[in-house]
Amino acid sequence: MKSGVWTIIGAVAAFAAFACSANAQGAPTGPIEVGVIETMMQDVPRVVTLPGRAVAFQEVEVRPRVGGVIEEILYTPGQSLAVGDPLFRIDDSSYLAAVASARANMATAQANLPVAQSASDRAEELSGRGYTEAEVESARASLAEAKATVESVKAALEYAQTELSWTTVTSPISGRADVATVSVGDLVTAGQSDELTTIVRADPIYVDMMETSARILSNRKGIDEGTLTRNDNIQATLLLENGDVYRGTGQLVTPGTSVSTTTGTVTVRFQFDNPNHIVIPGMFLRGEIMIGTMRAYLVPQRAATRGNSGQLTAFVVGEDGTAQSVTLTDDGSYQNSWIVREGLNDGDKLIIDGLSSLRAGQAVIPVAATIDENGIARDATTSSAEN
């Protein structure tokens, strides 16, 4: 029984010794080397990332303007079309007959016009000498009626010719046509609800991005207070669904005029050139918009931590050579850094490396460091030697 008790006591003592040793190793008592950068307020681009959706520059549902049987489909789905390119041919037999009839009526009306003109001229000449006033008025009316008949049949002929032209359905815009919804032999009617096909123009293309009304108010407040300098020529870049950056920048079309009552966002529309049709209407994208510039500090994200309260904290080297914790007020991020408006001063030595075992009040030896494009801290002297 005694041997068992002594075994337990020995194990407890060994564990306590191990714990003391571990604490001694994890909490160095002497100063430790840390990598630092010197903070300086600078002009920082104010960039926001917004979700967006591609919208066709033009989209038309093609419907017939006259009725008849589809005799031929004249295009290949997916091909590029210009304005006026033929798409469908509708049986034109009845429309050819209507044009012929209108031409015959036109010929008759034109033949009757000189007769009415001569009768009117004769009545005017012999007015009061064999022609009563009533007969003169009747001749004038007959001439006016003949002229009206010519104009009427002329209009009928033009309309008949127009309907005949509509039997060839053409593209109203340039773009690419979808698969036809009808086949040869199908009967269509004028102005039917079902489209024959859809044509989409996707070069250029619109991208509608969604911005919250709260952030719009924040940006306007910054501009009014002078902390944000607005960019007069607002442009956007696109991030595709696979993470690639789309070549080319978009120009602002409209900043939006109303807030959605369901999402609380404003639709901001940009226009992009899309010659290779990489961006397809309906595609979901992300847009980065540079609103302007603001005076702030850039703090590498590796140098600061966000607590449960949402505030950022970091360490700087105090005048006494110890690490001091500071609370930062941030306003979003830019590339791999936080945009900090409050909590730092020009010339502060911000600790960016050696943070794993650092605590407030710990004596430190600052060593100048840099952050490369991959977010890795490097000794500034070593980096200069490598360059």
Side-chain angles (χ1 to χ4, degrees):
M1 182 67 179
K2 288 183 178 181
S3 62
V5 172
W6 285 110
T7 300
I8 294 174
I9 293 174
V12 172
F15 178 81
F18 174 80
C20 291
S21 174
N23 289 336
Q25 293 177 0
T29 56
I32 61 174
E33 284 192 356
V34 292
V36 300
I37 59 173
E38 190 171 300
T39 60
M40 186 67 62
M41 184 169 283
Q42 56 188 294
D43 288 329
V44 179
R46 176 62 166 160
V47 179
V48 295
T49 301
L50 306 178
R53 186 175 64 87
V55 179
F57 184 76
Q58 289 179 307
E59 184 172 352
V60 176
E61 293 180 346
V62 179
R63 291 180 173 83
R65 303 177 74 174
V66 293
V69 175
I70 298 292
E71 287 197 334
E72 191 175 3
I73 298 176
L74 304 170
Y75 76 99
T76 301
Q79 77 178 72
S80 295
L81 298 171
V83 177
D85 283 351
L87 302 174
F88 303 90
R89 187 166 61 85
I90 299 173
D91 180 24
D92 59 1
S93 301
S94 61
Y95 300 99
L96 286 171
V99 170
S101 177
R103 283 177 178 163
N105 293 336
M106 182 69 177
T108 300
Q110 288 176 334
N112 291 334
L113 181 58
V115 176
Q117 183 69 57
S118 298
S120 177
D121 292 343
R122 187 167 53 254
E124 293 284 353
E125 184 179 354
L126 298 176
S127 177
R129 293 181 298 164
Y131 277 84
T132 63
E133 187 64 27
E135 289 174 329
V136 173
E137 290 295 332
S138 177
R140 290 173 183 170
S142 297
L143 176 60
E145 184 179 356
K147 290 180 178 180
T149 301
V150 170
E151 294 299 321
S152 176
V153 296
K154 181 180 178 181
L157 174 60
E158 291 176 352
Y159 185 70
Q161 291 173 330
T162 300
E163 284 195 315
L164 177 62
S165 69
W166 288 343
T167 59
T168 299
V169 181
T170 60
S171 175
I173 63 172
S174 60
R176 294 186 176 183
D178 202 351
V179 177
T181 62
V182 294
S183 301
V184 173
D186 285 349
L187 176 65
V188 297
T189 58
Q192 64 184 34
S193 59
D194 296 332
E195 70 277 8
L196 303 180
T197 189
T198 301
I199 301 175
V200 174
R201 181 181 176 186
D203 180 30
I205 194 166
Y206 292 133
V207 176
D208 288 346
M209 302 180 191
M210 310 302 170
E211 174 64 297
T212 62
S213 56
R215 186 151 59 182
I216 290 176
L217 292 175
S218 175
N219 291 333
R220 288 180 176 174
K221 182 180 179 181
I223 293 172
D224 293 339
E225 293 177 349
T227 59
L228 176 63
T229 302
R230 181 183 176 185
N231 185 6
D232 292 333
N233 184 22
I234 297 180
Q235 297 180 332
T237 57
L238 282 183
L239 297 176
L240 302 178
E241 290 178 309
N242 60 357
D244 290 345
V245 179
Y246 181 73
R247 291 186 178 181
T249 56
Q251 302 297 323
L252 178 66
V253 177
T254 173
T257 56
S258 61
V259 179
S260 170
T261 57
T262 55
T263 62
T265 59
V266 176
T267 300
V268 183
R269 172 165 286 188
F270 285 84
Q271 179 178 317
F272 291 81
D273 290 333
N274 191 32
N276 298 321
H277 293 84
I278 294 175
V279 181
I280 304 171
M283 182 181 289
F284 287 95
L285 310 152
R286 283 185 298 154
E288 291 188 347
I289 305 172
M290 181 177 172
I291 299 174
T293 57
M294 58 190 302
R295 298 291 292 174
Y297 299 95
L298 286 179
V299 174
Q301 291 182 348
R302 61 175 290 136
T305 57
R306 193 178 295 278
N308 294 333
S309 62
Q311 287 187 318
L312 283 177
T313 57
F315 285 101
V316 296
V317 179
E319 294 182 357
D320 59 354
T322 62
Q324 303 294 327
S325 177
V326 291
T327 301
L328 310 177
T329 301
D330 69 297
D331 193 0
S333 62
Y334 176 68
Q335 295 180 347
N336 294 321
S337 299
W338 298 111
I339 300 174
V340 174
R341 294 186 287 106
E342 297 178 3
L344 294 173
N345 298 300
D346 288 350
D348 283 348
K349 294 180 179 179
L350 178 70
I351 301 176
I352 63 172
D353 194 31
L355 296 164
S356 58
S357 58
L358 191 64
R359 67 179 187 275
Q362 171 72 47
V364 294
I365 302 174
V367 176
T370 60
I371 297 287
D372 64 14
E373 64 276 6
N374 298 318
I376 300 175
R378 297 184 181 275
D379 188 293
T381 305
T382 304
S383 299
S384 300
E386 291 176 352
N387 295 332

